[in-house]
Amino acid sequence: NLQQVAPQFAKGGASSAGTLSDKQLCFGTVSKGLPSGDFRVQGWQPGAGEQHEVWVHNSIAQVFELSIDDLVAFRVHINKQGQPQASAPIWKMVGIIKEREHISFGEYIGQISRVLPNGLAFIDCADVKFAHGGDAAVHAAIMQECGLSVGDVVAFNLHVSDAGKIWMSAPCWKCCSAEKWNAQLEAFKMQMAGMEPPQKKVRM
């Protein structure tokens, strides 16, 4: 059930019944793949009261990354046809969801920067370094479980071991948008932190 696994986390105003707000994350399951490479998602937001079909254009999601029934997260906008459409970046939940586990969108966003010969990996994330004084590590088993590799951008939560080591928790959210959307990724980070992204200057 989507509403059982969709995160209760949402920053910004709650959406009213029957609408999708661009002020908070939309969560959904991929319901249909189209011949054009586009996707349809049954999307839902906390407070929205119902699910909506959301269009995911093939330009913002790499086709090989998504499959039917994947759980995804994204912000939404209304396109020229007046229909809800996903905005880049789009995120896919990866990893095993335990029964009755509360799932939330990641508190931190970073990039898998290196993997050791034993499979242990590290995430480059300025916010984690600032808060904890070092990089978050990822167990080799979690790397395999989540299908992660060097260069992947992930939204994740942390846990600290008894020895004080910082670890990424699974499941996490993997960015499925191509590198050309990096500018939108930076804006997404600022929005999730409660800050407005810089606006384009209009020449007079």
Side-chain angles (χ1 to χ4, degrees), residues 98-111:
K98 298 177 182 178
E99 186 177 0
R100 297 184 180 180
E101 180 179 9
H102 172 73
I103 302 301
S104 64
F105 193 74
E107 180 180 1
Y108 299 99
I109 295 176
Q111 186 172 40

Side-chain angles (χ1 to χ4, degrees), residues 150-177:
V150 169
D152 285 341
V153 175
V154 291
F156 61 98
N157 291 316
L158 296 176
H159 64 275
V160 180
S161 70
D162 292 340
K165 192 170 182 62
I166 309 161
W167 295 98
M168 183 193 86
S169 300
C172 66
W173 297 83
K174 178 181 176 181
C175 182
C176 296
S177 297

Side-chain angles (χ1 to χ4, degrees), residues 68-89:
I68 303 301
D69 292 333
D70 279 346
L71 181 61
V72 293
F74 49 86
R75 288 191 181 274
V76 70
H77 66 275
I78 302 301
N79 62 22
K80 293 179 180 180
Q81 289 72 41
Q83 302 297 319
Q85 181 174 333
S87 301

Side-chain angles (χ1 to χ4, degrees), residues 3-45:
Q3 296 194 21
Q4 289 178 339
V5 299
Q8 296 174 7
F9 168 86
K11 291 189 176 180
S15 54
S16 60
T19 66
L20 290 176
S21 169
D22 63 356
K23 302 300 183 184
Q24 63 183 126
L25 283 177
C26 182
F27 303 93
T29 50
V30 178
S31 59
K32 185 187 300 182
L34 304 177
S36 62
D38 299 341
F39 288 90
R40 299 290 184 183
V41 170
Q42 291 299 315
W44 174 84
Q45 287 178 327

